[in-house]
Structures are given as structure tokens and as C-alpha cells.
Amino acid sequence: MRIRFGPFTVDAATRQLLRGDSECHLPPKAFDLLWNLIERRPKVIDKTELHTRIWPDTFVVDGSLNVLVGQIRRALGDNAQQPRFVRTVHGVGYAFCGDVVEPQEQQAPAGPTRCWLIKRDRSFDLVEGDNIIGRDPDCAVWLNSPSVSRRHARISVDGRRRRLTLEDLHSSNGTFLGGAPVEGQVELCDGAAIRFGSVDMKLHLWNADKASETKRIPRKRR
């Protein structure tokens, strides 16, 4: 699940805090705290409950929670005196006070874009939004090859505009489209030949209009 607020996006699946396309560093426990506050927005979560959620079965001093809040505020550029995102309720706990934009994937589109990558006899479905291709098993498209970087490239799917873009993520061995190295963002079309390191793949984009066309077979005259 992805949640957007201000210039930021929080991705619960990949445990990332993004500002635009750039990742903002946030330690694991600080990410847990931020996500808990977002999930319970705009309610105030008291410190005792936060301690239980973030450090289950572990005793920590009260100052540990303050440290995590400070890490979140630094990552978001937030201010304790004039908070835009994380509000302190003195003597009680904390609350998320930012304006959240609900993820687009929760809004059922009229005609979803179906697309996938094929590697020999194996296919990888691509979903709406960002699809990371890489050697890390957590990637949307996992390529277990030494020539592929952990986070090698990104394919972004915009179903509303039926637009797909490809971007190399500073990989060691490069990303190639039709044999040419990918620099910046490039648009993709059905049948595009893409190489990640030494792994060749092909993009397929479902065209519902063409699929629904029925070819008329002329009748034989008797």
C-alpha cells in the first residue's frame, strides 16, 4: 500500500519513504512509527501503545521514542513548533496531521492496463505505479543473475494515460532498449526488447480493442 502526503510517498510494501523519485533515509524503527501514525491518522496514539507496537516484549526508555520522532521530522523537514506532518500532544503521545492522498490503486479504473515482461518461458506481471526490476528478491521483477544489480531499473505504469516508462537506476551493467543504453526516462511500447545487464526480456501490452476484434471468415458458396 502506498500513501502520499505533500511531496512524500510512503510505500508499506517496500518500506520506503520517497520524495518524488528519491528515497529518504529512515531507520527501520522510525519507519514503523511513521506508518503506525499514518494508519491511525488523525487520532492521537499514546506513548504506551506506541512502545508496545514498536518494541513488543522489550523494555526501552521513554527517550527512545523521542529519538524516532526526531528522525522522522528530519527526513520530512518537519518542525515540532509548527508541525505539518507529526504533531506532539504533550503528556499523551503523537498524531499524524498531514493531508493524505489516497492511493490511486484503490480507485477502480474503467479499463486497467495489463502488461508484463517475458523472459524465455517465464512472465512477470507489471502493476500500476512503479515496478522495480533487480536481483533483490523483494523486487517486483526478480532477476537472479550476477549481471543484474539489486535495484537495477524501474518500469512505471500509468494506466489512466496508458503510458509506460523505463528508467535505469544507476545499475552496474546498464539497461538497454532495442540495443541502445537507457538514459533518463524513456517511453515503452508493446513488443519492446529490453536488456537488464545480460538478461533479455520483452514487454507485452494488452490491447483490449484489438483482442475484441473478430475476423470475419467468408462463407463458401455452394
Side-chain angles (χ1 to χ4, degrees), residues 114-116 162 164 188-193 202-207 210:
R114 290 193 58 194
C115 46
W116 59 96
R162 197 172 172 80
L164 279 76
L188 298 174
C189 60
D190 182 38
K202 197 167 188 178
L203 174 73
H204 287 274
L205 180 62
W206 175 259
N207 190 324
K210 286 186 178 180

Side-chain angles (χ1 to χ4, degrees), residues 26-27 30 33 63-78 80 86 94:
L26 201 59
L33 173 58
S64 300
L65 196 58
N66 296 335
V67 170
L68 298 188
V69 172
Q71 291 172 341
I72 292 172
R73 283 180 172 146
R74 282 193 294 275
L76 300 178
D78 206 7
V86 178
Y94 300 94

Side-chain angles (χ1 to χ4, degrees), residues 37-98:
L37 294 175
I38 289 174
E39 279 192 314
R40 299 284 296 278
R41 67 187 187 279
K43 294 182 179 179
V44 178
I45 309 181
D46 65 56
K47 294 181 180 181
T48 302
E49 182 178 351
L50 288 172
H51 275 278
T52 303
R53 284 172 170 262
I54 298 168
W55 294 282
D57 304 319
T58 304
F59 174 79
V60 294
V61 297
D62 287 341
S64 300
L65 196 58
N66 296 335
V67 170
L68 298 188
V69 172
Q71 291 172 341
I72 292 172
R73 283 180 172 146
R74 282 193 294 275
L76 300 178
D78 206 7
N79 188 303
Q81 283 69 44
Q82 295 179 320
R84 293 183 300 152
F85 304 118
V86 178
R87 180 169 65 94
T88 301
V89 181
H90 294 288
V92 181
Y94 300 94
F96 188 85
C97 58

